[in-house]
Amino acid sequence: MPQLTSARYGKDNIRVYKVHRDQATSVQTVVEMTVCVLLEGEIDTSYTQADNSVIVATDTMKNTVYILSKQHPVTPPELFASIVSTHFITTYKHIHAAHVKVVTHRWTRMTVDGKPHPHSFFRDGAETRNVEAVAREGQGISIRSAIAGLLVLKSTGSAFHDFVRDEYTSLPDVYDRILSTEVDCGWTWNTFDGLDHVKSTVPKFDEAWNNARTITIKTFATDSSASVQNTMYKMCDQILAAVPAVAAVDYSLPNKHYFEIDLSWHKGLKNTGKDAEVYAPQSNPNGLIQCTVTRQGSSSKL
Ligand SMILES: O=c1[nH]c(=O)c2[nH]c(=O)[nH]c2[nH]1
């Protein structure tokens, strides 16, 4: 007999734009986000017995996201994701968990003639602010906040040497290399009792995002990097110290390689080692280095 061992469904890629118009100043502020809602609960019969009576239509989920966007603040995203996920577990008795992911895209205010423009914005990069909230009946709300898609590069200040060397190894020790990665940095909050607990934490969410972003950028730039592994661990350590309400910090960093090009075959042109100036950026394969760091004495293990 087959057995349904896990079931979750919902609406992905719900795109929402919300504008706030300040009547007094005529300054407008915009938020654009992409939302995913996935529900769990007593929905097995919809899969096993064609019982649609337990299905909240994914179209209804989309409508709900629009309506809640109108009725509530959409920032900080930690609050909005908690509002949406709590809505689903409190509105439908048979829905016991709601996973809500909110990806906020950048619309940065333009500066025109040295002044912030009241209603014009530009997309300054593919970086997004991501939040995943899971409201689970009787178990509160768990939230992971993240920075994703932040592309960074340093042209020196990074080395990689003294790694395992055996008959499979061809990579030379490098004492000065280019380091580039697309940052995916997440921080998981101590579990919230419920929506009121999230509401009382609102001022901390933007502060944590700012701290994580500043620490990531500053450490990337200033660390004399021995490896991606060591540099990312230093970032985690500082974020844990800066944000006490966070239980764990995680990074996933692709190592975007830039290879030297030997041009000596062309009239003895010197372009390797200390003479290297022109490099070949690589798309693949790439290293992928990940870690999660928690506080000492915490029970969670890697
Ligand atoms: O920082 C690095 N970590 C590695 O594990 C690794 N492996 C590799 O080939 N280059 C690098 N660089």
Side-chain angles (χ1 to χ4, degrees):
M1 261 291 268
Q3 200 184 351
L4 186 70
T5 50
S6 99
R8 194 185 282 184
Y9 79 105
K11 199 69 132 190
D12 195 7
N13 295 310
I14 308 168
R15 296 187 58 190
V16 183
Y17 163 94
K18 185 172 185 183
V19 63
H20 174 261
R21 302 183 185 90
D22 188 313
Q23 301 301 342
T25 61
S26 292
V27 172
Q28 305 199 351
T29 304
V30 302
V31 177
E32 182 165 338
M33 57 190 178
T34 305
V35 181
C36 176
V37 177
L38 293 171
L39 304 184
E40 288 175 45
E42 291 158 60
I43 55 174
D44 291 13
T45 53
S46 66
Y47 292 82
T48 58
Q49 293 169 38
D51 171 18
N52 288 356
S53 72
V54 296
I55 298 180
V56 177
T58 69
D59 192 63
T60 305
M61 298 181 200
K62 173 206 67 183
N63 292 341
T64 304
V65 168
Y66 292 153
I67 292 164
L68 294 176
S69 299
K70 174 73 183 175
Q71 293 174 331
H72 298 273
V74 294
T75 57
E78 287 85 352
L79 173 63
F80 183 65
S82 300
I83 289 169
V84 176
S85 54
T86 302
H87 167 91
F88 285 105
I89 62 161
T90 52
T91 305
Y92 304 101
K93 271 217 296 282
H94 68 296
I95 297 300
H96 303 312
H99 303 248
V100 176
K101 180 169 182 183
V102 176
V103 174
T104 307
H105 308 281
R106 287 179 78 80
W107 280 130
T108 300
R109 192 175 295 283
M110 285 184 187
T111 301
V112 177
D113 294 335
K115 285 186 294 213
H117 196 270
H119 58 250
S120 297
F121 308 86
F122 68 109
R123 176 69 42 87
D124 62 342
E127 178 192 351
T128 54
R129 177 171 169 180
N130 297 0
V131 168
E132 290 172 71
V134 184
R136 222 176 257 287
E137 218 168 61
Q139 290 177 45
I141 303 172
S142 52
I143 301 179
R144 177 182 177 269
S145 307
I147 292 163
L150 170 63
L151 191 56
V152 291
L153 177 146
K154 66 194 289 185
S155 51
T156 188
S158 165
F160 185 63
H161 49 80
D162 297 317
F163 46 87
V164 174
R165 186 163 297 285
D166 61 16
E167 68 271 33
Y168 296 98
T169 311
S170 59
L171 188 73
D173 283 350
V174 187
Y175 294 84
D176 183 6
R177 67 173 181 175
I178 295 162
L179 184 60
S180 177
T181 188
E182 193 176 302
V183 175
D184 186 333
C185 162
W187 50 103
T188 302
W189 298 84
N190 293 321
T191 307
F192 296 91
D193 302 336
L195 196 49
D196 285 341
H197 189 189
V198 173
K199 283 182 180 162
S200 68
T201 311
V202 157
K204 297 210 175 120
F205 294 126
D206 284 358
E207 196 183 302
W209 177 79
N210 268 314
N211 270 319
R213 197 165 185 274
T214 305
I215 288 166
T216 299
I217 289 172
K218 186 170 177 189
T219 308
F220 179 82
T222 59
D223 183 40
S224 188
S225 176
S227 63
V228 175
Q229 285 89 332
N230 183 238
T231 300
M232 74 205 291
Y233 179 78
K234 289 176 179 171
M235 293 173 179
C236 292
D237 183 35
Q238 292 174 75
I239 295 172
L240 281 174
V243 194
V246 152
V249 178
D250 62 90
Y251 275 87
S252 179
L253 300 180
N255 192 358
K256 295 181 161 286
H257 307 295
Y258 286 72
F259 285 178
E260 283 190 6
I261 310 168
D262 184 353
L263 296 174
S264 60
W265 55 271
H266 181 80
K267 302 176 187 174
L269 208 53
K270 289 182 176 159
N271 191 52
T272 56
K274 64 175 180 20
D275 299 310
E277 289 178 291
V278 176
Y279 293 78
Q282 304 296 299
S283 314
N284 55 61
N286 58 271
L288 181 60
I289 321 288
Q290 302 178 327
C291 74
T292 301
V293 180
T294 54
R295 293 178 195 285
Q296 210 170 22
S298 91
S299 56
S300 47
K301 272 262 177 279
L302 285 177

